[in-house]
Amino acid sequence: MKRKALVLLLSCSTLFAFAANIFVTTHGDDAQDGTSWESSKSSIQAAIDAASAGDTVFIAEGVYNQSIKVKDGVHILGGYDPSTGKRDQETYPTILDGTGLGKALINQGSAFKVPTYCDGLTLQNAAHSSNGGAAVLKANGVLNHCTITNCVTTGSGGAVHNSKGTISNCLIELCEAEGAGGAVHNIGGIVENTIIRGCKGNYASIRNESDGNESDGIVRNCLLHNNEPSGSSWPNSGGIYNPSGVVYNNTLVCNYGSQYAGIHSDNIAYNNLLWNNHSEEGFADPANFVSGENTKNGSGHNAGDSYFEAENFTVKLSVDNMAKNGPHFVAPTNFVGAPKNAAEIAAMRAANFAIMEGSAVIDKAKTNTDLAYDIDNNPRPVNGRADIGCYEYDPNAPIIDVTGVRLNMDTLYVYTTDTALITAIITPTKATNRNLIWQIADTTIAKVNAQGAVIGVAEGQTTGSVTTEQGGYSATATVV
C-alpha cells in the first residue's frame, strides 16, 4: 500500500496553500530553523511545534529517545537518508525508542479536523502506565506504514489505544497490555492491512467495538497469528474480541486462548479465515464463535476448522494445511500461541500465511466486499469473487525465486521418543517454490518428517539438514 499512501499524503498537503517542510536529524540543533537537512532540528517535538497545519516534518534515520505530541494537520514522515533525501524505511529506519521514558511515544490529545499522518516510523520499547503502550490515537489521527514492537501498558492497547483513528499498513509484534487488547483497543476506529503477531492482552489481541454513537470499530484485511491472552477476562481470545464492531476479511491463525482462541464476535463478522487456533484443554466450546443473531445483518461466509453457529461459516477447513479442504498456507508456523524463545520469534517472523493454489477459501467470500486490494496490495478480486481472509490468490502472479535458506536454531535438543520442531526460513519470504527436503545424517539417533519435526531415537549427536527444492540451497543444525 506504500504507493497509494504517498499519493494520499500529497493530496492532503495540497489542501493548504503554503505548506512548508521541516527537517530533523539526530545531529541537528533545535536553534536552527529546520528548513533543510543541513539546518535540521534535533527534536521531533521542536519541529512539530514550529510547524503549522499543512506542513510536513521529515525525520532522518536514527534512534530518537523521544515522545511526541502530534498536531492537527502536521504530517510526520520517517525513513530518510539525510545525505541524499532518499526515502527507504527498511534501509534508513527512523526509530522512536521509549526506553526510560515511561510514556507513549505518539500522543494525540484531541480529535483532529483533518487526517494527520505519522508514516514510516518504528516505535519500540515503550512502557506506559495508561492506555496505549506506543501510541494514543483519536479521530483523524493516522498511523501508516509503522512498525511497533516490544511495547507494554498497564492500561488497554499494548501498542495502540485507538479512538476513531486509523491504523493502516502496520506491523505490530511482541506487545502486551494488562487491559483490553494486547495489540490494539479499537473504539470506533479502523485497523486495516496490518499484521499482529506475538502479542498478549486481556480479552484478545484486538478488542474491537463501536464508540457507542455513530462509528463502528472496523478491523479488515488483517493477519493475526501466534498471539495469546495475558489475563483471564472472558472470552480470553488470542485473536479478536468483537462485542460491537465489524470484522471482515481477516486471517486469524495459530492463536491460543483459554476460551475462544481465534475470535469471539457478538456483532458482524464475515469473510474471515480461522485455522489452527487452540483453546485451553477442557474448554468445551469450539475455538471460534460468530453470533448467529447477526446473520441477517451481514455476518457469514467465514471459513474455519473449529466453530459453532454454523450458518455463519461457508467453508469447513481441514486441520491439515495441505489437505483437499485445507487453507494451503505458504509457510505457517508450527507452534500455537505467542513465541517463548528466540527460535520461535524467528519462526514467527519467517511465516507466510498467503494462500496457494488449491486453497479451500479461493473465490468463497461474500460478493459485496468493498476491498479492492489484499494485505499485500494485490488487486482483489481476481476471478470476480474475492477469497476469504486477508490474502488474494493470483494464479498469474510472477514466480519469485528462492535465494537462500537458514534454520531458526543452531542446535536442537530432543529426548528419546520425544518430538521437537525446527523451522526452515526461506528467503525471500514470498518465494514461490517453498518445497524442502529434510534429512538426518544418522537415523539411529534421530529421524525427521517432511515438516521438520525431529523424533529422538537414541542418545547421541548427529546433524540435521534442509535443502530447498528450487535452487538447492541448504542449511544444517546439530541434533543432540
Side-chain angles (χ1 to χ4, degrees):
M1 290 298 206
K2 184 181 290 184
R3 182 167 55 85
K4 290 182 68 185
L6 290 175
V7 171
L8 183 57
L9 283 170
L10 291 172
S11 299
C12 289
S13 65
T14 60
L15 295 173
F16 304 93
F18 303 103
N21 298 330
I22 301 177
F23 298 85
V24 179
T25 65
T26 55
H27 57 270
D29 185 340
D30 286 346
Q32 300 182 134
D33 61 16
T35 57
S36 68
W37 290 119
E38 291 74 20
S39 63
S40 62
K41 294 182 177 294
S42 64
S43 165
I44 303 170
Q45 191 63 57
I48 294 170
D49 292 343
S52 301
D55 293 348
T56 300
V57 175
F58 295 85
I59 312 176
E61 63 175 324
V63 179
Y64 299 80
N65 186 221
Q66 302 176 21
S67 172
I68 62 174
K69 185 175 181 179
V70 290
K71 183 187 290 188
D72 195 357
V74 176
H75 307 298
I76 300 171
L77 307 183
Y80 287 92
D81 176 2
S83 65
T84 64
K86 179 181 178 182
R87 190 182 192 203
D88 187 321
Q89 295 167 224
E90 294 185 5
T91 306
Y92 312 112
T94 297
I95 301 170
L96 273 64
D97 189 284
T99 301
L101 297 179
K103 59 180 73 175
L105 295 167
I106 294 176
N107 297 276
Q108 182 181 346
S110 61
F112 287 166
K113 295 179 181 179
V114 297
T116 301
Y117 286 77
C118 292
D119 186 289
L121 305 174
T122 295
L123 312 179
Q124 67 182 32
N125 302 331
H128 193 197
S129 59
S130 188
N131 294 334
V136 177
L137 291 185
K138 297 185 179 179
N140 278 320
V142 183
L143 284 182
N144 190 48
H145 287 113
C146 290
T147 296
I148 306 175
T149 183
N150 195 36
C151 295
V152 299
T153 178
T154 56
S156 65
V160 185
H161 188 273
N162 184 32
S163 179
K164 301 177 72 171
T166 299
I167 302 166
S168 185
N169 304 296
C170 291
L171 167 63
I172 301 173
E173 66 173 21
L174 303 174
C175 293
E176 186 169 352
E178 292 184 17
V184 179
H185 189 183
N186 190 49
I187 306 170
I190 296 173
V191 185
E192 62 184 4
N193 308 326
T194 289
I195 297 173
I196 294 173
R197 62 194 186 194
C199 294
K200 300 178 181 180
N202 224 347
Y203 296 101
S205 290
I206 297 180
R207 177 167 175 148
N208 182 60
E209 53 199 307
S210 72
D211 68 346
N213 296 306
E214 77 281 4
S215 298
D216 283 325
I218 295 173
V219 181
R220 61 192 179 199
N221 247 12
C222 291
L223 168 64
L224 288 84
H225 71 95
N226 293 103
N227 303 289
E228 63 184 47
S230 63
S232 57
S233 297
W234 184 94
N236 221 30
S237 171
I240 297 175
Y241 175 40
N242 184 48
S244 57
V246 180
V247 175
Y248 63 100
N249 280 100
N250 301 289
T251 298
L252 296 96
V253 285
C254 300
N255 299 293
Y256 170 81
S258 61
Q259 294 155 0
Y260 298 95
I263 189 172
H264 187 285
S265 177
D266 296 311
N267 208 47
I268 297 171
Y270 60 93
N271 291 353
N272 299 294
L273 195 170
L274 306 150
W275 182 80
N276 200 30
N277 300 295
H278 287 197
S279 301
E280 185 176 74
E281 186 175 353
F283 182 63
D285 288 345
N288 304 293
F289 170 77
V290 176
S291 174
E293 295 181 7
N294 286 287
T295 305
K296 62 180 180 295
N297 296 325
S299 288
H301 287 265
N302 298 292
D305 58 353
S306 174
Y307 55 83
F308 62 106
E309 302 287 1
E311 64 268 34
N312 285 323
F313 285 81
T314 303
V315 179
K316 174 66 174 179
L317 293 172
S318 170
V319 296
D320 181 350
N321 180 43
M322 295 306 295
K324 181 179 179 180
N325 218 41
H328 291 207
F329 293 123
V330 171
T333 48
N334 54 18
F335 65 96
V336 171
K340 297 174 178 59
N341 51 52
E344 289 190 348
I345 290 174
M348 175 188 76
R349 289 172 172 166
N352 186 339
F353 289 96
I355 55 175
M356 299 185 291
E357 182 180 7
S359 173
V361 304
I362 293 174
D363 299 338
K364 296 294 177 61
K366 288 178 65 173
T367 56
N368 63 342
T369 181
D370 61 347
L371 298 172
Y373 297 90
D374 73 356
I375 193 172
D376 272 351
N377 200 27
N378 299 310
R380 69 189 317 173
V382 172
N383 294 316
R385 187 168 180 175
D387 304 338
I388 293 173
C390 65
Y391 290 97
E392 190 78 6
Y393 172 68
D394 183 358
N396 299 314
I399 293 174
I400 300 174
D401 289 334
V402 175
T403 59
V405 66
R406 61 186 175 89
L407 296 171
N408 68 327
M409 59 185 72
D410 297 320
T411 303
L412 176 69
Y413 296 91
V414 57
Y415 290 103
T416 303
T417 73
D418 280 356
T419 299
L421 297 172
I422 192 166
T423 299
I425 299 172
I426 295 173
T427 53
T429 58
K430 295 179 183 180
T432 303
N433 184 344
R434 302 181 65 86
N435 293 333
L436 298 168
I437 302 164
W438 291 92
Q439 292 180 311
I440 293 288
D442 188 344
T443 55
T444 66
I445 295 174
K447 296 181 180 179
V448 63
N449 68 12
Q451 286 73 48
V454 178
I455 304 166
V457 176
E459 290 187 9
Q461 178 174 311
T462 185
T463 299
S465 66
V466 66
T467 304
T468 62
E469 182 179 87
Q470 191 259 311
Y473 298 97
S474 62
T476 62
T478 301
V479 177
V480 180

